[in-house]
Amino acid sequence: MREFLKLKYGLSNSEIQKLEGYGSENYLINSGSEKFILKVYPFDKQILDLAAAENDLLFRLQKEKYNQFPNPIRNINGEYLTVFYEGETRKTARLLTFIEGGFFAETGHSNLLFESFGKFLAKMDLQLSDFKNYVIEARKFEWDLQYFQHFIPEKTKFIENPAGRKLVEYFLMQHRENVVPYLHSFRKQIIHNDANDWNVLVQNGKVPGIIDFGDTCYTQLINELAIGITYAILEKDNPVEWAKAIISGYHQIFPPEEKEIDILYWLIAARLCTSVCNSALEKTKQPDNEYISISEKPAWNLLEKWVKINPVFARNEFRKASGFIIPEEKSIEEIKSERFQTVSPIFSVSYKNPVYMERAAFQYMFDKYGNSYLDAYNNIPHVGHSHPKVVEAGQKQMAKLNTNTRYLYDHINDYTAKLLQYFPKPLNKVFLVNSGSAATDLAIRLARNFTGKNKIAVVEHGYHGNTQTGIEISHYKFGGKGGKGKSENTICLPIPDAYRGEFKINDGNAGISFAHKAIQQMIKPTGEIAAFIAEPIVGCGGQVPMAKGYLKEIYTGIRNQGGVCISDEVQTGFGRLGDFFWGFEAQQVIPDIVILGKPMGNGHPMGAVVCTDEIAEAFNNGMEFFSSFGGNPVSCAIGKAVLEVLEEEKLQQNAKSVGDYYLHELTKLQQKHECIGDVRGSGLFIGFEFVKNRFTLEPDTELAQKVKNELRNRFILVSTDGPFDNVIKSKPPLCFTRENVDEVIGNLGKIL
């Protein structure tokens, strides 16, 4: 190399230090009086053209002397590109001036520095605003954000961690919705395209220069700002606030347009996704290279932080930094008033101060005003709000075929076959409907048809749906406010509650005692009971687990009377309980009929009844059963995707580990605060009860409401239930983490 430098550039006795490089070999050359950067490329016509184009760009930038950029140096033949042989290998070299300064990554950060960085990028882009070069303009490669949808989707498969992969796929999905339709309308020009913290230089607390123009491209101008911000805010606790300083500086010199600022949040996410996907691919090529894992960690950390930020908040803050007006949203009172003009107030809303929602991602929800909420409550988005795999399954199928079930198609066969894999063998027939309520209604029809009887035994405080039949068998409804009392065909049994009930030693004896008492209650209508229905954990009763041994004993009693046993798994099913996929497994029983709903479609309306061959065959009596939408291709595609996500992301195992931690931390809190009378549940189906006195168990409804609403004010969503409305219930999406638990517990502790 020394001989090459002497021969081609007249540099003698130079010190040579090899530097990190991507796509080229890079060397620091110290001739004693001057420093240079030597870049060596494989000989290739396209690379040669790009290197020449990069030189032309640098010549344009040299016209302004207040900023510092590398300057191409001629060789002794007066050429800026040197073609040479290294052994038998033909290569191309460029020599550039060395720019003094510390790297942005190694410098102490301040608002003034970030503002200076924004100004520098704007000045550079302004200089290049009329620069044309057909080679750069024809370039199409993976680091150009306008091709995010072209290059990145195929690379997500290289991300080993399913949680990381779904994060990238989420932002890919959001980019398609929020960026792609508008790309054509944004300003385009040639930009640097890689203002990362190891390319940006700092002197005296300001940014005077930048190096490495190897990624320069012709793209949307706003991408320059997005990329610069992305690397600057790595490992920042408040990334949006830091980003504002860069935007403000840029705006002072070369103001972005409003529509450009409005998509900045999604472009920053796109750059992060590009970075982690390319790192994932590189790891497959260099599995022993620890540097790749270390360097990608800050990007993953920011990506995980970014998804928690409400895009409306980011947009509004970025608008503030640019001096643009923030769009005014309707007030809570306005939106409530509009709602009640067309929707009955009987459709209740949560909290004294309701939440005006805009969008959601996994275990986070975002309101219209820019606030982010931790969702510790909604069990319907079972695998997480807006899960990209579930959304994509629905979108693709909706674009292809959606019809009623009178036609043959693969989806219903594929889904029901996969669903039945989770059930014990006697349960092998599926009826698909649109909701848990519809499933309850059908289950009662099946039971009455099979047994020829009418009476239904139910559990106190149970809830099984909003149909007429569902209300008649739901003590929570017929025995509550506005209820008309028990019908003659309903037998209401005491809830087997080992905390508040008659039998309190939950070692198996309490459950047997509760069951024996219930069986005694059913002696009088012997032979008339069609079915017994219950949730394994009574949700509306206050997240009350059935006392141990109860279901095994009561199932035997019901069957002895010729009735069938129905397990309502609408809330407890699909792995939520952690140790078990279905709640009935916790009591070591197999029901005759199972009701499914809520989480089946992750928010898409789905329900099902699963029963034995014998019960299904008895229903086949000549009267057709038909559901217009139950089992349609779109629903089946979505349902299958939910099951696949549960498996791929090991969400049942997550419900177990995080749920155990949650219960442990709540129990520790219970030891500090006597107002917490009981902590109960399984997996991520948890309740904790507030009492005024632990001995009398006098419920503290007022405190429970205060806690629920105060948590909401702290942007954590939970709800209350139980006969006294004194039980906080938490049944979050199964992607809930220990960090999420810590947030709930920390705030709960402060409130108490």
Side-chain angles (χ1 to χ4, degrees):
M1 190 61 72
R2 283 189 175 84
E3 186 65 24
F4 168 80
L5 289 168
K6 182 179 180 181
L7 188 65
K8 296 295 183 179
Y9 292 95
L11 297 173
S12 303
N13 302 318
S14 298
E15 292 181 9
I16 303 172
Q17 179 186 346
K18 190 165 186 179
L19 305 173
E20 289 286 340
Y22 183 80
S24 64
E25 299 171 39
N26 298 326
Y27 300 91
L28 173 62
I29 311 299
N30 191 338
S31 67
S33 58
E34 291 182 272
K35 292 180 182 178
F36 304 93
I37 295 293
L38 179 69
K39 300 179 80 69
V40 179
Y41 312 89
F43 181 83
D44 177 273
K45 182 64 168 64
Q46 185 178 8
I47 292 174
L48 212 62
D49 288 345
L50 279 170
E54 188 180 322
N55 282 345
D56 287 345
L57 183 150
L58 290 171
F59 295 144
R60 165 60 64 93
L61 291 174
Q62 299 306 326
K63 292 180 179 179
E64 298 288 349
K65 300 300 181 187
Y66 53 80
N67 287 331
Q68 298 178 26
F69 304 99
N71 195 18
I73 304 295
R74 296 179 189 269
N75 62 23
I76 58 174
N77 297 323
E79 299 164 334
Y80 290 106
L81 297 176
T82 304
V83 179
F84 69 104
Y85 282 91
E86 191 172 79
E88 295 184 2
T89 305
R90 198 177 187 191
K91 294 186 176 182
T92 304
R94 294 168 65 215
L95 193 68
L96 302 167
T97 55
F98 178 82
I99 308 299
E100 295 288 349
F103 288 118
F104 195 94
E106 297 178 320
T107 305
H109 291 170
S110 67
N111 277 338
L112 286 176
L113 174 63
F114 274 50
E115 186 176 322
S116 165
F117 179 32
K119 288 178 178 178
F120 171 83
L121 289 177
K123 289 175 183 176
M124 178 176 64
D125 288 339
L126 200 54
Q127 284 178 258
L128 295 174
S129 60
D130 61 349
F131 176 65
K132 305 294 181 186
N133 185 286
Y134 77 91
V135 174
I136 295 174
E137 290 179 29
R139 192 178 192 189
K140 183 177 182 180
F141 75 130
E142 60 198 357
W143 289 101
D144 183 347
L145 284 181
Q146 70 180 314
Y147 301 120
F148 181 57
Q149 296 291 339
H150 181 86
F151 289 104
I152 300 307
E154 181 62 22
K155 294 184 180 181
T156 59
K157 65 187 177 187
F158 297 111
I159 301 171
E160 293 180 357
N161 180 6
R165 189 162 57 248
K166 76 171 182 184
L167 201 54
V168 172
E169 288 171 348
Y170 167 79
F171 280 117
L172 272 162
M173 175 180 72
Q174 296 299 333
H175 183 272
R176 284 194 295 272
E177 299 297 322
N178 296 288
V179 178
V180 172
Y182 313 106
L183 277 177
H184 69 279
S185 67
F186 296 124
R187 296 176 295 173
K188 293 182 75 173
Q189 69 167 66
I190 290 172
I191 65 170
H192 179 281
N193 196 51
D194 193 19
N196 74 58
D197 46 351
W198 291 102
N199 284 339
V200 176
L201 302 176
V202 176
Q203 290 177 355
N204 302 318
K206 293 185 178 181
V207 173
I210 194 168
I211 60 173
D212 195 352
F213 284 76
D215 282 354
T216 189
C217 61
Y218 179 75
T219 189
Q220 285 75 24
L221 173 61
I222 191 62
N223 290 340
E224 187 89 277
L225 190 54
I227 292 164
I229 289 171
T230 300
Y231 293 99
I233 62 177
L234 291 173
E235 300 186 282
K236 292 288 186 280
D237 289 334
N238 191 346
V240 169
E241 193 62 31
W242 284 96
K244 285 167 62 180
I246 300 173
I247 295 167
S248 174
Y250 195 100
H251 182 84
Q252 292 173 46
I253 307 298
F254 195 8
E257 296 175 353
E258 284 186 58
K259 61 185 178 182
E260 293 172 329
I261 288 295
D262 286 350
I263 64 158
L264 200 46
Y265 169 88
W266 303 111
L267 293 175
I268 291 167
R271 182 63 178 202
L272 288 168
C273 291
T274 300
S275 177
V276 298
C277 281
N278 285 329
S279 293
L281 176 59
E282 283 303 311
K283 280 199 290 188
T284 65
K285 300 174 183 176
Q286 306 176 61
D288 299 324
N289 189 335
E290 294 182 6
Y291 175 77
I292 296 172
S293 297
I294 293 169
S295 62
E296 73 174 336
K297 189 175 180 182
W300 277 118
N301 289 343
L302 180 55
L303 202 55
E304 289 166 3
K305 197 175 291 182
W306 206 244
V307 77
K308 302 176 187 179
I309 295 169
N310 188 332
V312 171
F313 170 76
R315 180 203 68 187
N316 290 349
E317 292 300 299
F318 295 165
R319 275 177 164 258
K320 283 181 189 175
S322 304
F324 295 132
I325 295 170
I326 296 171
E328 192 172 330
E329 301 292 348
K330 295 173 185 175
S331 69
I332 292 291
E333 289 307 313
E334 283 177 303
I335 199 69
K336 274 172 65 179
S337 176
E338 284 182 15
R339 176 185 175 112
F340 294 146
Q341 286 175 24
T342 54
V343 178
S344 169
I346 201 168
F347 279 81
S348 61
V349 293
S350 296
Y351 311 109
K352 289 180 179 177
N353 181 23
V355 187
Y356 183 15
M357 286 300 184
E358 165 78 357
R359 63 170 67 236
F362 307 115
Q363 64 269 51
Y364 306 102
M365 299 187 76
F366 310 118
D367 72 12
K368 294 280 279 189
Y369 308 115
N371 300 303
S372 297
Y373 296 80
L374 175 62
D375 185 0
Y377 168 51
N378 282 290
N379 62 327
I380 294 175
H382 195 61
V383 299
H385 293 275
S386 305
H387 194 290
K389 181 163 185 168
V390 179
V391 173
E392 184 181 31
Q395 287 176 333
K396 279 187 173 180
Q397 189 53 45
M398 198 175 293
K400 186 177 181 182
L401 171 70
N402 199 21
T403 182
N404 63 50
T405 51
R406 293 191 188 278
Y407 302 96
L408 297 178
Y409 45 86
D410 292 327
H411 306 86
I412 193 167
N413 302 340
D414 294 343
Y415 176 59
T416 53
K418 187 168 183 63
L419 180 63
L420 287 175
Q421 290 175 7
Y422 293 90
F423 284 95
K425 284 185 178 179
L427 296 163
N428 61 0
K429 281 294 181 290
V430 182
F431 293 83
L432 292 169
V433 290
N434 309 122
S435 68
S437 295
T440 293
D441 200 272
L442 177 58
I444 299 304
R445 279 181 62 193
L446 287 165
R448 284 174 170 162
N449 177 79
F450 181 71
T451 63
K453 302 166 186 177
N454 285 318
K455 292 191 182 295
I456 307 296
V458 304
V459 171
E460 202 177 14
H461 310 306
Y463 173 65
H464 304 288
N466 60 19
T467 65
Q468 184 63 41
T469 298
I471 298 297
E472 286 177 1
I473 63 169
S474 298
H475 175 256
Y476 179 74
K477 288 296 185 183
F478 70 69
K481 191 175 181 181
K484 295 182 178 179
K486 183 171 68 68
S487 72
E488 61 178 14
N489 283 323
T490 302
I491 301 166
C492 192
L493 308 176
I495 186 170
D497 181 357
Y499 177 64
R500 284 189 171 274
E502 182 179 351
F503 308 104
K504 291 185 169 59
I505 301 175
N506 197 13
D507 58 359
N509 290 322
I512 293 170
S513 297
F514 276 118
H516 284 172
K517 188 163 185 177
I519 291 167
Q520 287 295 313
Q521 187 177 334
M522 292 186 290
I523 286 176
K524 190 173 181 181
T526 296
E528 297 177 23
I529 296 175
F532 165 79
I533 183 171
E535 297 173 280
I537 298 179
V538 185
C540 291
Q543 310 290 87
V544 178
M546 295 279 181
K548 292 176 185 175
Y550 176 78
L551 283 186
K552 187 175 284 190
E553 201 73 16
I554 199 81
Y555 274 22
T556 301
I558 293 295
R559 286 168 176 157
N560 286 342
Q561 292 208 33
V564 297
C565 302
I566 304 173
S567 186
D568 184 339
E569 299 282 348
V570 168
Q571 294 201 74
T572 55
F574 292 92
R576 176 164 291 281
L577 300 188
D579 285 311
F580 307 99
F581 201 80
W582 307 114
F584 63 77
E585 295 173 304
Q587 295 254 337
Q588 299 177 315
V589 295
I590 298 176
D592 305 295
I593 300 174
V594 178
I595 298 168
L596 308 177
K598 293 186 191 295
M600 280 186 81
N602 208 53
H604 178 80
M606 290 183 73
V609 175
V610 181
C611 65
T612 64
D613 252 337
E614 193 180 8
I615 291 173
E617 184 56 36
F619 198 55
N620 186 15
N621 58 9
M623 180 187 289
E624 177 194 48
F625 174 77
F626 178 68
S627 172
S628 294
F629 304 112
N632 70 74
V634 171
S635 295
C636 290
I638 288 171
K640 187 166 178 280
V642 169
L643 293 176
E644 289 169 353
V645 170
L646 283 169
E647 294 170 0
E648 290 165 7
E649 297 181 15
K650 295 181 171 56
L651 292 182
Q652 182 181 348
Q653 295 88 324
N654 188 67
K656 162 68 177 168
S657 61
V658 175
D660 285 351
Y661 178 68
Y662 204 164
L663 287 165
H664 178 263
E665 294 301 298
L666 281 170
T667 302
K668 283 167 58 177
L669 209 57
Q670 180 189 26
Q671 292 167 358
K672 294 180 183 178
H673 300 278
E674 290 201 356
C675 56
I676 301 178
D678 192 31
V679 172
R680 52 185 179 251
S682 177
L684 289 173
F685 196 69
I686 288 170
F688 50 101
E689 182 164 350
F690 286 107
V691 295
K692 293 180 179 178
N693 187 301
R694 282 191 183 176
F695 297 102
T696 65
L697 304 188
E698 182 183 354
D700 198 335
T701 303
E702 184 181 359
L703 178 58
Q705 300 310 306
K706 283 183 178 179
V707 168
K708 175 184 77 173
N709 283 289
E710 184 53 34
L711 282 170
R712 176 256 177 270
N713 293 339
R714 292 165 179 255
F715 309 108
I716 297 171
L717 305 179
V718 296
S719 189
T720 54
D721 222 325
F724 311 106
D725 209 20
N726 68 320
V727 179
I728 299 283
K729 58 181 180 181
S730 184
K731 40 185 184 172
L734 297 197
C735 51
F736 216 64
T737 66
R738 285 185 171 223
E739 291 74 21
N740 298 148
V741 171
D742 290 339
E743 186 176 346
V744 175
I745 296 296
N747 280 279
L748 183 58
K750 290 173 184 175
I751 292 165
L752 293 177

